[in-house]
Amino acid sequence: MSGARATGKSLMLAAAKAQLELLVERHHRSALRGIGETERIFYDTYTRRLQEERQLLAPTASIGDDQTTAREPLMFGFTEVMPDNTRRSRVLVMRDVAGEDLEDKRDLALSFFSRADAVIALLDPLKVPAIRHMLSDAVPSDSRVGGDGTAVLQHLLSLMTGKKVGARTGIPLAVVLSKFDTMQELRRVEGTEWSRIMNRPGSPLQRDPSLRSAWFDAADADLLHMEVRALLDRLEATGVTAMIEESAESYRYFAVSALGASPEGEMLHSGGMAPFRVLDPFKWALQVAG
Ligand SMILES: Nc1nc2c(ncn2[C@@H]2O[C@H](COP(=O)(O)OP(=O)(O)OP(=O)(O)O)[C@@H](O)[C@H]2O)c(=O)[nH]1
Ligand SMILES: [Mg+2]
């Protein structure tokens, strides 16, 4: 997981783990199991705060801190049923990188990006001043907003190529517009072109089929990819899209909300977490990793 501080990486990972459990049970008739210390680390870092204390997460500790959670990757195993009904064992190894480490370029500790099977990079729409302004009534102004997303993405791409100047990376890159519930709030901002875009019937920005199929759904993902690409253009993030398209051979755009609604201060929304499309990038990563 990559992205500037407070783009929503840790919450997305926590939400995706819960959804992956459901996917694996429902479609693969298997159970998702933490490997090694993963269950304990996951409980200490995510579950206790989110489910027992109903609180948002603290910023992820820097990899330089003396904390196992930041140093150890999270590893989950399950058995996948293939389309021809054969079964095979899969292991998903994830790293919840601290935005701070990417922003401060602690590169020695981040060299694993050049060896990843796939990278998920988050962009926060609340960083776009026009969006923040339109949503000033709907989104609490004290939400954590992170650092420079474009600079972090540029740096990430250089880490993915092992710092070779001018090189393109062959590592699949999922570019995710996070906190998508805030964009969906734009439905209610009347008289703007945003309410028209976000209200369009049948739009992939309004539905979440990610738990319906066992594997990555390319037809749905293609539609989503095009919608999110167009949204990024409208958000005037053309610098970002140009950079991705120039530097990555294999990329896809996604839209995700871990929470489903804005939090209330440091607390989760009273309705709990209602994730939107959080599984899509992980299903893609599992598919492209073979
Ligand atoms: N509305 C909304 N806000 C979100 C969502 N996900 C994250 N946030 C907000 O963003 C903040 C940061 O989320 P984290 O998941 O901790 O961010 P991070 O990218 O892991 O941050 P670092 O660990 O510092 O790199 C949260 O405390 C929320 O205020 C979401 O789905 N919707
Ligand atoms: Mg984090």
Side-chain angles (χ1 to χ4, degrees):
M1 310 286 294
S2 149
R5 271 173 303 147
T7 40
K9 300 176 290 298
S10 299
L11 284 170
M12 178 177 164
L13 195 146
K17 189 251 188 183
Q19 298 248 301
L20 198 61
E21 272 172 359
L22 291 176
L23 182 94
V24 164
E25 278 169 32
R26 277 188 206 167
H27 293 287
H28 301 290
R29 307 241 166 263
S30 171
L32 191 73
R33 352 168 255 289
I35 298 171
E37 290 288 284
T38 297
E39 292 295 353
R40 186 186 59 74
I41 295 174
F42 196 87
Y43 176 79
D44 289 347
T45 320
Y46 307 92
T47 316
R48 181 172 20 209
R49 258 181 100 100
L50 293 169
Q51 282 177 19
E52 293 175 16
E53 297 164 12
R54 317 286 295 166
Q55 285 201 50
L56 296 170
L57 301 171
T60 301
S62 164
I63 207 158
D65 287 5
D66 205 7
Q67 287 211 10
T68 26
T69 44
R71 286 169 186 265
E72 301 284 324
L74 297 163
M75 294 184 280
F76 296 97
F78 65 97
T79 310
E80 184 179 33
V81 177
M82 303 303 290
D84 63 4
N85 257 328
T86 55
R87 298 176 75 84
R88 64 168 178 167
S89 176
R90 300 222 62 177
V91 175
L92 183 63
V93 182
M94 300 190 277
R95 275 192 178 266
D96 183 9
V97 174
E100 180 194 332
D101 287 340
L102 281 158
E103 288 181 27
D104 294 351
K105 306 194 176 162
R106 304 220 170 94
D107 292 356
L108 278 179
L110 298 176
S111 60
F112 54 78
F113 274 115
S114 68
R115 299 185 298 273
D117 285 320
V119 173
I120 299 178
L122 273 61
L123 297 170
D124 183 350
L126 287 175
K127 285 291 289 176
V128 180
I131 298 292
R132 219 175 150 72
H133 179 70
M134 270 187 282
L135 289 172
S136 54
D137 293 335
V139 174
S141 54
D142 59 353
S143 323
R144 273 176 67 208
V145 178
D148 185 341
T150 316
V152 165
L153 192 61
Q154 186 158 34
H155 189 58
L156 167 73
L157 285 161
S158 83
L159 288 169
M160 286 168 71
T161 56
K163 299 248 173 118
K164 285 193 207 80
V165 182
R168 299 182 88 202
T169 176
I171 300 173
L173 175 65
V175 182
V176 175
L177 204 48
S178 63
K179 309 185 187 180
F180 203 69
D181 55 285
T182 59
M183 297 290 292
Q184 288 168 329
E185 279 294 319
L186 292 169
R187 276 192 291 238
R188 288 186 248 285
V189 185
E190 277 169 29
T192 65
E193 78 174 322
W194 285 104
S195 70
R196 193 177 48 73
I197 296 168
M198 299 307 298
N199 270 317
R200 206 166 50 233
S203 162
L205 304 177
Q206 307 251 31
R207 58 184 144 85
D208 177 4
S210 57
L211 269 176
R212 274 191 226 140
S213 59
W215 308 282
F216 176 68
D217 176 346
D220 171 64
D222 283 349
L223 286 177
L224 183 74
H225 171 83
M226 285 185 284
E227 289 280 346
V228 175
R229 172 80 176 69
L231 274 187
L232 287 168
D233 277 351
R234 265 176 215 277
L235 291 171
E236 293 181 12
T238 35
V240 169
T241 48
M243 193 158 72
I244 293 161
E245 288 156 30
E246 189 179 16
S247 310
E249 283 163 19
S250 166
Y251 58 86
R252 255 184 194 279
Y253 296 112
F254 294 92
V256 152
S257 168
L259 299 179
S262 288
E264 292 162 355
E266 277 305 294
M267 303 301 283
L268 278 183
H269 189 267
S270 53
M273 288 169 83
F276 176 79
R277 283 191 180 273
V278 284
L279 267 190
D280 289 349
F282 293 94
K283 285 170 84 175
W284 183 56
L286 282 166
Q287 161 161 315
V288 292

